[in-house]
Amino acid sequence: MKIITLLTTFIFTVGFLFSQELTLKYEISMQSDDPQIQSQLGMMQGSTLQVFTKDNKSRTEMSMGGLMTTTTILDSDAKKGVLLMDGMLGKQGATFEDKEETEENEDFEYEIELIDETKEILGHTCKKAVIYTEEDMELIYWYTEDFDVKAGSLGKYVKDNVPGLALEFSVEQPQMTMTFTATEFKEKVKETKGMFDLEIPEGYTEKSFEEIQGMSGQ
């Protein structure tokens, strides 16, 4: 299914890590000009993205309707992480090392444009930034500077180049556009047992990170 390839590609493009403790929840909307993909998007209703960061650790949970759920846990101090996928492809997990971004991203070319436009999201004034990539992908960010969020990462193209916290962002690819709009923001995390564990849970089939990447054709 085309939708599987597009979603798994997105999983490897976007990740979160902030030095500030916070909880974020986004609602996800999707649309496509491709009739085959658009017909599949009904399964994606109610999709959400939740982000929890604390003490240089993060947990990102993306629920893609009834199709797939992915969880990514990162520990920036240990420079390690785990990716868990649960859905039509079964329960699979992989561990990985968090390599230096600067070395890995030297081959990626992109352009960031800060635009003089604003809009209100969750009561915060947000500014606009547009990122143009060499992979025919355009990313639009609406970010607020109301919070002291440092060392933030929202995917390989952003790093410290967007000077604030994104309360809405869109990923525009040739076949589909995904828009994430924040519906909840807290400067605290209600931590539960095992929330930031880097072990693959029982019931998941362990694979290499390269095997899971291969599912998206990367």
Side-chain angles (χ1 to χ4, degrees):
M1 298 172 68
K2 289 184 178 180
I3 193 72
I4 290 286
T5 300
L6 290 171
L7 293 178
T8 51
T9 298
F10 178 80
I11 290 166
F12 291 107
T13 302
V14 174
F16 290 79
L17 187 59
F18 302 106
S19 59
Q20 178 177 329
E21 180 176 344
L22 58 83
T23 298
L24 270 168
K25 183 177 181 179
Y26 298 86
E27 289 185 351
I28 306 173
S29 61
M30 287 159 278
Q31 59 182 9
S32 175
D33 293 329
D34 185 320
Q36 182 179 351
I37 294 177
Q38 186 63 40
S39 67
Q40 299 173 24
L41 292 181
M43 297 182 294
M44 313 305 292
Q45 291 184 354
S47 296
T48 60
L49 174 68
Q50 295 190 79
V51 183
F52 310 90
T53 69
K54 183 178 181 180
D55 299 329
N56 291 323
K57 298 178 181 179
S58 73
R59 180 185 180 96
T60 304
E61 300 175 357
M62 185 154 58
S63 174
M64 311 305 291
L67 186 64
M68 181 191 308
T69 300
T70 66
T71 301
T72 305
I73 302 171
L74 295 171
D75 186 327
S76 64
D77 292 332
K79 295 189 181 300
K80 293 182 179 180
V82 61
L83 172 67
L84 307 173
M85 301 177 66
D86 183 1
M88 297 180 66
L89 302 177
K91 290 188 174 184
Q92 303 176 69
T95 58
F96 58 91
E97 294 184 4
D98 184 18
K99 298 179 181 179
E100 290 295 329
E101 292 284 344
T102 54
E103 179 181 346
E104 287 194 343
N105 289 344
E106 286 179 353
D107 295 333
F108 296 110
E109 295 183 4
Y110 57 94
E111 177 184 348
I112 296 180
E113 181 181 4
L114 301 181
I115 298 175
D116 187 20
E117 293 182 31
T118 63
K119 72 174 178 177
E120 296 291 313
I121 303 174
L122 291 180
H124 300 282
T125 299
C126 296
K127 299 179 181 180
K128 186 177 182 180
V130 181
I131 300 173
Y132 307 93
T133 82
E134 62 179 355
E135 299 170 336
D136 294 325
M137 185 165 57
E138 184 175 303
L139 301 95
I140 300 174
Y141 292 85
W142 291 94
Y143 63 93
T144 177
E145 298 176 296
D146 290 349
F147 307 102
D148 184 23
V149 178
K150 298 178 180 178
S153 177
L154 189 66
K156 64 186 178 186
Y157 296 108
V158 182
K159 198 59 176 172
D160 298 319
N161 295 313
V162 173
L165 176 65
L167 293 184
E168 181 177 293
F169 59 98
S170 298
V171 182
E172 297 186 2
Q173 294 180 295
Q175 293 179 301
M176 185 171 68
T177 297
M178 302 177 69
T179 300
F180 298 71
T181 303
T183 58
E184 180 182 323
F185 174 79
K186 298 178 181 178
E187 294 185 83
K188 290 290 183 182
V189 172
K190 186 177 180 181
E191 189 171 353
T192 57
K193 184 178 180 181
M195 188 174 192
F196 298 109
D197 284 356
L198 298 179
E199 300 292 329
I200 296 176
E202 185 177 351
Y204 282 77
T205 300
E206 184 171 358
K207 292 184 175 294
S208 70
F209 195 67
E210 289 73 21
E211 285 178 306
I212 292 184
Q213 279 183 306
M215 297 175 188
S216 66
Q218 296 195 24

